[in-house]
Amino acid sequence: MFAYRHGYHAGNHADVLKHLILVTLLDALRRKDKPFFVMDTHAGDGGYALDSAMAGKLAEYADGIGRLWPHRGLHPAIDGYLDAVASYNTEGRFAQYPGSPLIVAGRLRVGDRLLAVEAHSAAGARLDELLSDHANAQVLRGDGYAALKAALPPRERRGLILIDPSFEVAGEFERLTEALRLIHHRFRQGLVAIWYPLLGHKPAAPWLDTVQNLGIPDILTAELRVGPPTQGPGLYGSGMLLVNPPWGTESQLREVLPMVSECLNGHRDGACVRTLVGERGEVAPRA
């Protein structure tokens, strides 16, 4: 966990999926006048220079945000995400990619609040710097899972918990399961968004089966694949598990993600959105 640095992967296809959905959820929260709380349990550096040696080593952004960047006007949700990225790039120059904390901070209103948790010391220092001008954003150093218990329920009684671990340590899916149980117990009405990888050697399907049987209603998954499943360690796509998605989220993602897939892959078949558990707790059949 402490060796992982997201700067090598900033702006890749996984970030496109994660941050497009994040913007969609934040905009849904903003539709009501009441303040909301956002907790980012694995916040990272907060922002990334795409012209840095770290980002340039793999240049994964070229096949992620780089492919979507020219395609404005496809859908308001895509434009909202691109606008969030563009706000950190001046004069049309595409050189900076905002991480989740900056995207959240840019959409907070007076009274809204962000708690960004990061365990890596260097990333936490950078996060402190980037969020220093945001009075309603707090940075906490430490383990994001451990911080959940103290942070929930939030005083705002509405909001979003974003969990985006590196999946570089054993037992990550088990920790996610326990986190879901805790959130459901302490913040049942809150939105939850969990990013997970699609890896041939470590499939997410067994974990999704476990989630279906937790007794938590209203769960949706949205996946974006950029290649065929492999047996090796390579990431061929990723997914977002959403608990309590706002009304209309599923239909919007069914419309938007095939467009994103076409921009990234040249075809619309890389997108998959499905109900995992219905609003009344009914478990959906496997696809």
Side-chain angles (χ1 to χ4, degrees):
M1 178 172 69
F2 293 101
Y4 178 83
R5 297 302 301 276
H6 188 66
Y8 290 106
H9 313 286
N12 68 358
H13 60 84
D15 271 357
V16 169
L17 174 70
K18 175 176 58 185
H19 291 148
L20 187 149
I21 292 177
L22 176 60
V23 169
T24 298
L25 297 177
L26 291 170
D27 287 351
L29 286 169
R30 285 163 54 93
R31 291 189 194 114
K32 292 185 178 180
D33 292 336
K34 295 180 180 179
F36 63 83
F37 168 74
V38 179
M39 182 176 182
D40 188 344
T41 62
H42 297 72
D45 297 56
Y48 309 91
L50 297 180
D51 56 0
S52 68
M54 184 180 290
K57 185 173 183 178
L58 300 175
E60 291 186 4
Y61 62 87
D63 291 328
I65 183 64
R67 292 192 178 185
L68 189 62
W69 188 252
H71 294 283
R72 287 188 174 275
L74 288 177
H75 193 281
I78 295 175
D79 287 350
Y81 163 57
L82 293 177
D83 287 343
V85 177
S87 66
Y88 293 95
N89 290 272
T90 59
E91 299 177 358
R93 182 171 177 263
F94 185 37
Q96 301 290 327
Y97 189 84
S100 301
L102 281 188
I103 290 175
V104 173
R107 273 175 153 68
L108 295 179
R109 308 160 302 181
V110 175
D112 299 333
R113 185 167 59 100
L114 165 65
L115 175 62
V117 187
E118 177 53 43
H120 192 287
S121 58
R126 175 64 173 156
L127 189 60
D128 274 326
E129 178 185 349
L130 290 178
L131 292 179
S132 61
D133 292 335
H134 297 273
N136 47 356
Q138 176 190 358
V139 176
L140 179 65
R141 307 288 183 88
D143 178 77
Y145 293 115
L148 281 168
K149 188 172 183 180
L152 301 180
R155 61 176 180 266
E156 296 84 356
R157 298 291 172 174
R158 62 187 295 261
L160 165 67
I161 309 301
L162 173 65
I163 307 179
D164 174 28
S166 68
F167 286 88
E168 288 205 333
V169 296
E172 199 74 77
F173 281 123
E174 290 77 10
R175 296 193 79 186
L176 285 172
T177 300
E178 291 308 308
L180 276 170
R181 287 194 177 102
L182 175 65
I183 296 167
H184 183 62
H185 177 69
R186 287 178 170 257
F187 190 33
R188 187 165 299 194
Q189 73 276 26
L191 311 182
V192 184
I194 298 176
W195 179 88
Y196 59 91
L198 295 178
L199 297 162
H201 72 294
K202 191 176 183 180
W207 174 65
L208 295 176
D209 289 341
T210 298
V211 170
Q212 278 189 310
N213 294 301
L214 290 178
I216 300 174
D218 202 6
I219 304 178
L220 176 73
T221 60
E223 296 183 351
L224 181 64
R225 302 185 180 201
V226 294
T230 62
Q231 295 305 311
L235 188 71
Y236 66 87
S238 65
M240 290 288 282
L241 183 138
L242 307 178
V243 181
N244 292 328
W247 183 87
T249 299
E250 181 175 359
S251 59
Q252 179 168 300
L253 292 179
R254 289 186 185 276
E255 182 179 357
V256 170
L257 290 187
M259 298 178 184
V260 176
S261 176
E262 188 165 22
C263 293
L264 270 57
N265 300 320
H267 58 78
R268 300 168 67 90
D269 299 337
C272 178
V273 179
R274 73 182 186 98
T275 298
L276 201 67
V277 184
E279 294 182 10
R280 295 179 177 86
E282 63 275 21
V283 174
R286 294 287 293 171

